[in-house]
């Protein structure tokens, strides 16, 4: 079992930055694909970014060039650096982990993830 705890959410003005953190425990974090998803008000949960055990990164088109996902295996933590934030980024952000995700595009499929954090609210004001 893997436990995930997000932190770093909050209120920020458009154009500002936030860094989300996801601390993992209870498993070998370096062996998992780690992903970030968000759920805007009234919408379905959507893929944001993911990072593989080999440090390959993947991003939704809407955040490319603005967000950066990274991981620190020594600290068993994954980060999402969010720059140039827009009001449309307002959502609850969830950290997720999956131990086996080999097929094309599986990193972007929420149904493939086995473990989820509680979520952290990000609000971007105009």
């Amino acid at each position: 079992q893997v436990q995930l705890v997000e932190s770093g959410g909050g209120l920020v003005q458009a154009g500002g930055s936030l860094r989300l953190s996801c601390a993992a425990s209870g498993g070998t974090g370096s062996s998992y694909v780690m992903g970030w998803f968000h759920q805007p008000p009234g919408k379905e949960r959507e893929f944001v970014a993911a990072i593989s055990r080999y440090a390959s990164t993947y991003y939704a088109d809407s955040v490319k060039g603005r967000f950066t996902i990274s991981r620190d295996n020594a600290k068993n933590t994954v980060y999402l650096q969010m720059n140039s934030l827009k009001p449309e980024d307002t959502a609850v952000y969830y950290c997720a982990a999956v131990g086996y995700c080999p097929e094309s595009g599986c990193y972007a499929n929420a149904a493939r993830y086995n473990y989820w954090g509680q979520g952290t609210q990000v609000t971007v004001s105009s």
Side-chain angles (χ1 to χ4, degrees):
Q1 295 293 320
V2 175
Q3 292 78 47
L4 305 174
V5 180
E6 304 99 332
S7 62
L11 176 65
V12 65
Q13 293 183 343
S17 299
L18 285 173
R19 187 178 72 162
L20 306 184
S21 299
C22 175
S25 62
T28 305
S30 62
S31 68
Y32 288 87
V33 173
M34 303 294 296
W36 286 98
F37 292 75
H38 74 183
Q39 187 166 12
K43 295 184 178 181
E44 298 292 323
R45 190 169 299 186
E46 300 173 332
F47 169 73
V48 175
I51 185 165
S52 77
R53 66 188 69 184
Y54 308 110
S56 297
T57 57
Y58 312 91
Y59 298 94
D61 288 342
S62 62
V63 306
K64 287 181 179 177
R66 299 190 298 123
F67 291 9
T68 302
I69 188 170
S70 62
R71 66 194 304 167
D72 185 337
N73 289 333
K75 297 181 178 180
N76 212 18
T77 301
V78 63
Y79 304 95
L80 184 68
Q81 178 67 47
M82 304 186 294
N83 298 325
S84 301
L85 283 162
K86 304 174 180 179
E88 65 193 82
D89 296 318
T90 295
V92 177
Y93 283 73
Y94 297 92
C95 178
V98 56
Y100 186 67
C101 196
E103 72 271 21
S104 179
C106 72
Y107 52 85
N109 184 358
R112 293 286 285 107
Y113 286 77
N114 304 115
Y115 306 100
W116 292 86
Q118 186 175 345
T120 185
Q121 176 70 47
V122 171
T123 302
V124 184
S125 62
S126 60

